[in-house]
Amino acid sequence: MPGFLLRNFLLLAVESGAAALLRDPGTPWIPVLLAVFVAGSAVPHGTEAELGGRFLVALTAVGVALAGAGAWEGHGLAATAGLAVLLLVQTAALLRLSRGGRGRPVRR
């Protein structure tokens, strides 16, 4: 479980930084969101996550950064609810990927 917590906190830190950067209207958003996508796809390193799992975590991380910036600017209940849902999806995906390889029966 410590690996799961570390992965989640690292991704939350990247997303929080991106949300803070995206609050400023002059910030170039493409490099910021690309960096979040790359960090999101790298976070499951050390797990058995393949392309689908990494892509899900990376896209969710981009969504969290965008929804976080919207909620931070005070765009209402929809942005806050979207942020909460995306954070739940991200946490569940990281938990599943972190625990995915353990407990499976070995095929012979």
Side-chain angles (χ1 to χ4, degrees):
M1 192 68 114
F4 155 70
L5 289 176
L6 179 63
R7 286 181 181 94
N8 208 17
F9 284 134
L10 283 173
L11 199 49
L12 286 173
V14 169
E15 293 162 350
S16 297
L21 285 173
L22 291 172
R23 284 179 38 200
D24 182 24
T27 301
W29 58 272
I30 292 176
V32 172
L33 294 181
L34 184 60
V36 171
F37 187 87
V38 169
S41 65
V43 164
H45 182 71
T47 66
E48 294 181 3
E50 295 183 10
L51 179 67
R54 290 178 184 271
F55 197 74
L56 172 69
V57 171
L59 278 182
T60 306
V62 169
V64 166
L66 286 173
W72 210 335
E73 289 179 355
H75 285 295
L77 185 61
T80 306
L83 177 62
V85 168
L86 286 171
L87 284 173
L88 286 174
V89 169
Q90 172 182 301
T91 303
L94 285 173
L95 180 62
R96 177 155 171 79
L97 292 173
S98 295
R99 295 182 54 197
R102 299 184 187 109
R104 290 185 187 167
V106 178
R107 283 187 157 177
R108 291 182 187 208

